[in-house]
Amino acid sequence: MKTIDPLHKPGHAAGSPVYLAGRSGQGGEAANPRRPYVRPMAGWWRRNPFFVRYMAREGSALFVGAYALILLVGLIRLAQGEAAFNGWLAALQSPLSIAFHGLLLAVFAFHSWTWFEIMPKTMPPVRVGGRRLPEAAITGGALAAAAAASLVLFVIVRELAR
Amino acid sequence: MKLQVRTTHSIRVAGDKAQRRSPEPIFWALFGAGGMISALIGPMLVFITGIAIPLGFLLPADAMRYENVLALVQNPIGKAFVLAVVAFFFWHAAHRIFHSLHDFGIDAGNGARLVFYGSAFVATVAAALALLAVGF
Amino acid sequence: MQHALNESIEIEVMRYRPEQDKAPFLQTWVVPCTEDMSVLQALQYIKDHLDPTLSFRWSCRQAICGSCGVMVDGIPKLSCKTFLRDYRGRIRVEALANFPIERDLVIVMDSFMEKLESVKPWIIPKEPRALEQGEYRQTPAQMEAYAQYSACINCLLCYAACPQVGLSPDFVGPAALALLHRYNSDSRDAGAGERMPVVGAESGAFHCTAVGYCSEVCPKGVDPASAVNQAKGASVREYFLGFLGKGGGK
């Protein structure tokens, strides 16, 4: 793994001026007064609250992955038989697990919010009556759809659990 | 006398590597599927499996008992649903974390691609095998 | 709060003189300002009255030429369209982020010119059309499909707003991809087959991680983030159709 050098010039770290190709023919590097300066990118995301929020949004993926892993372990335990699966169920009831799922819930909610917030830009524009639907309508509609889908899921689980 | 200035890694100079077709369309589509499913029902899933049922809050505490979950994953629709959730969540996470490495200035390259997307692939296969093992 | 006439403002300007400076630094001047004065006018005041060596680009003074982009307090802005009255006491003006600095506020934009050229930002008709065949005709809906992207003035604020441009200088970037999408969406154009390889390349649209800040800073109301993501969608369709042997493929 290597850090990114915006000029892709070996031997010149970002954050220092770089002597570029000189005049072809006579003269050489010293004769070229141009020394474009490339600013370093380190810590770029701390420079703007917009970027901090973006990084938090991307960080939610760690928690989505963690939850997927918990479910996968449950699935494997299930395939191994009742005793193994009951162990997984017992682990879910530990205070640590409950607390972690509380954190997961908060991060997932943040993920949902940010996912639908950027969705007007990530999905093709929706035109109603020849006019592009406003961004707030798309985000609002998607949040309503998420609420409806979640409610349906909850009702199905409650019916199945009877 | 022509002043020749190469100021950044030009796309023409970069040539082969930069213009090579990216495999990203596959990963981006899988990432999007996982992102959409987790945004729609992720919070509720976490609430049901990790909070409501373990605490017996709003749902019976034995709702996830062995026979119930077995019946769910032996049903074709239940099987497909569980596989979709687990696999797409993994692909979503793998893609975002891979790109976050780049955001932190680590040019992770194809090795990291293999590690992250490979993990998602292994997890998908493991979930599929477990779902096959429980029967129909 | 608005400045009264003849109030003054402290302006920190990034300086970089390649023949003598190892790295850029900030130089502070006090500039008298009026309520209707832009950041560009403040820079011109410095050049005319305080230090004639200060270098910056400008031309039209009315947000159409796209020359005068700078970072104002860390945000990409057109200096002609940014007014001192919206800032209190002190402002910082720096060269556009994510580009090498040639001198002071002047950036090196050669890479952008190459990227722009690579997307073939002109109409590529299906077949040659003679003058006597008359003009192309378009319905309002056909025009609406691309009109907002044609408002781009190549000012590069979106490049300065895009961390992926800074992290991967190869990345074609928001404005060029928005223009690519603009021509691909034009009913008169049949050049999508020539442009799609740019979208699907390693240096193409999939560098974008939907930060979305490009669309926030655009001074012309263009939505490059939407264009880039629509181009991604088109690339995905093309990719999978290619597997079925139906798409244009490479």
Side-chain angles (χ1 to χ4, degrees), chain A:
Chain A
M1 291 203 285
K2 56 187 192 297
T3 52
I4 292 163
D5 172 2
L7 278 182
H8 293 244
K9 295 241 177 203
H12 294 286
S16 60
V18 178
Y19 290 93
L20 295 160
R23 292 159 208 253
S24 43
Q26 69 274 66
E29 269 194 12
N32 186 353
R34 294 184 69 179
R35 290 169 62 217
Y37 183 89
V38 174
R39 286 160 284 182
M41 282 300 283
W44 63 270
W45 55 273
R46 284 191 297 264
R47 292 176 206 155
N48 189 319
F50 198 97
F51 296 149
V52 175
R53 193 176 150 82
Y54 159 76
M55 290 303 258
R57 183 190 93 184
E58 300 299 289
S60 70
L62 286 170
F63 295 85
V64 174
Y67 182 61
L69 194 61
I70 291 171
L71 292 185
L72 178 63
V73 169
L75 211 48
I76 292 168
R77 287 306 199 199
L78 186 76
Q80 287 170 340
E82 187 165 0
F85 186 70
N86 284 341
W88 181 74
L89 281 183
L92 280 187
Q93 284 174 328
S94 74
L96 194 66
S97 168
I98 304 280
F100 183 64
H101 279 84
L103 175 65
L104 279 180
L105 180 60
V107 176
F108 266 73
F110 178 65
H111 163 70
S112 297
W113 182 264
T114 53
W115 185 264
F116 295 132
E117 193 178 49
I118 194 72
M119 206 170 75
K121 300 200 189 306
T122 53
M123 68 184 265
V126 184
R127 289 197 168 77
V128 176
R131 295 188 64 177
R132 195 172 160 179
L133 207 62
E135 298 201 349
I138 294 174
T139 300
L143 285 169
S150 299
L151 189 66
V152 168
L153 179 69
F154 183 81
V155 170
I156 289 174
V157 170
R158 206 184 54 181
E159 291 304 306
L160 288 178
R162 276 193 185 183

Side-chain angles (χ1 to χ4, degrees), chain B residues 85-108:
Chain B
V85 166
V86 174
F88 285 134
F89 279 25
F90 268 113
W91 284 103
H92 172 82
H95 181 82
R96 259 198 173 162
I97 297 167
F98 172 69
H99 279 272
S100 291
L101 277 191
H102 184 261
D103 289 345
F104 278 112
I106 301 161
D107 191 3

Side-chain angles (χ1 to χ4, degrees), chain B residues 11 13 17 25 41 64 77 83 96 104 121:
Chain B
I11 38 186
V13 167
K17 188 179 174 291
I41 56 167
M64 281 204 296
I77 298 172
L83 181 63
R96 259 198 173 162
F104 278 112
F121 181 75

Side-chain angles (χ1 to χ4, degrees), chain C residues 62-247:
Chain C
Q62 49 194 329
I64 197 63
C65 75
S67 314
C68 69
V70 290
M71 308 296 283
V72 180
D73 283 354
I75 313 279
K77 299 267 189 191
L78 291 181
S79 62
C80 70
K81 207 188 169 201
T82 305
F83 293 90
L84 297 174
R85 60 173 179 259
D86 297 323
Y87 297 82
R88 287 303 294 175
R90 190 181 183 88
I91 63 169
R92 197 175 71 245
V93 181
E94 296 162 289
L96 277 183
N98 303 333
F99 287 96
I101 303 171
E102 183 78 63
R103 170 182 291 275
D104 297 341
L105 301 174
V106 176
I107 51 144
V108 182
M109 55 190 288
D110 307 33
S111 62
F112 172 70
M113 300 312 287
E114 286 182 14
K115 291 168 184 176
L116 185 61
E117 208 182 324
S118 76
V119 306
K120 305 190 176 183
W122 53 81
I123 284 175
I124 301 173
K126 205 172 281 159
E127 53 216 22
R129 193 176 169 91
L131 208 56
E132 50 275 16
Q133 287 174 281
E135 69 274 25
Y136 286 96
R137 310 200 59 170
Q138 255 179 349
T139 65
Q142 283 172 330
M143 192 183 130
E144 222 270 322
Y146 70 84
Q148 67 121 331
Y149 305 112
S150 67
C152 174
I153 57 172
N154 300 336
C155 66
L156 304 184
L157 298 198
C158 55
Y159 282 68
C162 176
Q164 303 305 343
V165 167
L167 292 164
S168 311
D170 285 345
F171 175 36
V172 178
L177 283 167
L179 281 166
L180 181 150
H181 181 70
R182 174 251 174 277
Y183 285 97
N184 280 1
S185 312
D186 192 318
S187 62
R188 299 165 292 182
D189 185 273
E194 294 177 43
R195 299 190 192 99
M196 287 312 286
V198 178
V199 178
E202 289 275 7
S203 58
F206 292 96
H207 265 294
C208 165
T209 53
V211 179
Y213 200 45
C214 53
S215 298
E216 297 286 321
V217 303
C218 178
K220 305 306 283 185
V222 179
D223 189 349
S226 173
V228 173
N229 281 280
Q230 288 178 65
K232 281 188 209 168
S235 186
V236 169
R237 283 192 294 280
E238 188 208 44
Y239 193 88
F240 287 108
L241 287 175
F243 275 131
L244 300 173
K246 289 177 186 167

